[in-house]
Amino acid sequence: MHDVGKALTAVRARIGALERRYHRPSGSVALLAVSKTKPAEAVRAAVAAGQRAFGENHLQDAMTKVEALAGQGVSWHFIGAVQSNKTRPIATHFDWVHGIEREKIATRLSAQRPAGREPLDVCIEVNVSGEATKSGVSPDAVEPLARLIRALPGLRLRGLMAIPRPAADLETQRIPFRLLREILDDLNAKGLELDTLSMGMTGDLEAAIAEGATMVRVGTAIFGPR
Ligand SMILES: *Cc1c(COP(=O)(O)O)cnc(C)c1O
């Protein structure tokens, strides 16, 4: 039987060791536990071990867990592609959306964020692997989309997110993460005040932390294979 609490402790220790290795301040890399496809009991075990932020990529699969964990102080991050007919429940039940890549989706999420709630925290997904992947906006298109999102009252633009094409070695993995960080630095130099680089998963955690990730999205290393 997979021990979620034990796995979480190991992942936290690994993040701490990587912060030290790459001269990142202690605690500067937040852990998003990706619980997609896993049952509510697995999320409960992680909550018991102190984890509070969870990532889901499928609305229906997420909703049973959102309901089961209500009142536990858990924050829910939507990390999948947002379809326009799902924006209302996502704006209602989630705290973050990591993969904004279209103006239409941003506008709908903002309009549908319930009144009286904090704005929805969002990241723009950037295609940092060129032709090889289709999701995310091209680096050139990030700034106009960022300025548009900044004008939407129901959203708070926090930063950028990427899912690079898998690569086997550390140096190759670092290249797209470095590009994402440079795009963020450029936007901040232009006054955008972004604080989040959502990058790094189980297989490329080290490369992402080396290049400045502030939030890593880890599923397999915490919850076991899907
Ligand atoms: C599934 C998923 C993850 C976690 O992947 P692991 O390899 O299991 O750590 C991270 N980010 C996104 C967007 C995902 O869909």
Side-chain angles (χ1 to χ4, degrees):
M1 179 66 203
H2 181 76
D3 187 336
V4 169
K6 208 166 154 186
L8 249 179
T9 302
V11 170
R12 287 192 192 116
R14 178 140 191 257
I15 291 170
L18 290 168
E19 285 172 342
R20 287 187 292 280
R21 184 178 311 160
Y22 293 99
H23 312 290
R24 304 282 314 276
S26 171
S28 60
V29 181
L31 174 59
L32 178 65
V34 176
S35 47
K36 64 187 188 193
T37 80
K38 298 294 179 180
E41 297 75 67
V43 177
R44 239 188 273 283
V47 169
Q51 179 65 28
R52 290 294 179 271
F54 294 90
E56 293 283 339
N57 71 346
H58 187 275
L59 182 66
Q60 226 148 321
D61 173 40
M63 284 314 299
T64 54
K65 292 172 253 187
V66 170
E67 281 157 25
L69 275 294
Q72 305 278 303
V74 165
S75 70
W76 294 98
H77 295 229
F78 198 82
I79 59 172
V82 180
Q83 294 166 299
S84 57
N85 63 344
K86 303 279 169 59
T87 50
R88 187 177 297 280
I90 290 172
T92 303
H93 297 290
F94 282 77
D95 301 285
W96 282 69
V97 173
H98 286 241
I100 303 282
E101 49 182 349
R102 287 197 287 152
E103 171 179 345
K104 179 184 171 194
I105 296 295
T107 306
R108 288 176 68 97
L109 287 170
S110 175
Q112 293 168 346
R113 182 67 169 170
R117 292 277 300 278
E118 288 278 293
L120 184 65
D121 286 312
V122 300
C123 292
I124 294 173
E125 182 175 350
V126 185
N127 179 352
V128 285
S129 297
E131 304 271 294
T133 57
K134 288 198 190 73
S135 69
V137 305
S138 71
D140 298 346
V142 177
E143 187 179 344
L145 183 57
R147 295 203 182 276
L148 188 136
I149 291 172
R150 291 242 300 176
L152 297 174
L155 305 187
R156 182 161 53 209
L157 182 63
R158 297 295 299 271
L160 306 177
M161 177 267 206
I163 313 169
R165 176 170 36 147
D169 67 288
L170 181 66
E171 288 312 311
T172 310
Q173 289 176 351
R174 287 180 65 157
I175 295 166
F177 292 142
R178 190 175 310 140
L179 175 60
L180 194 71
R181 171 173 44 84
E182 287 167 356
I183 297 168
L184 188 96
D185 289 345
D186 177 59
L187 293 174
N188 279 335
K190 292 172 174 164
L192 269 84
E193 301 176 297
L194 306 178
D195 64 8
T196 301
L197 272 176
S198 166
M199 59 189 199
M201 327 201 299
T202 297
D204 52 17
L205 197 61
E206 175 166 356
I209 291 174
E211 293 297 344
T214 65
M215 197 182 296
V216 291
R217 309 177 308 267
V218 179
T220 307
I222 297 172
F223 295 107
R226 287 181 293 272

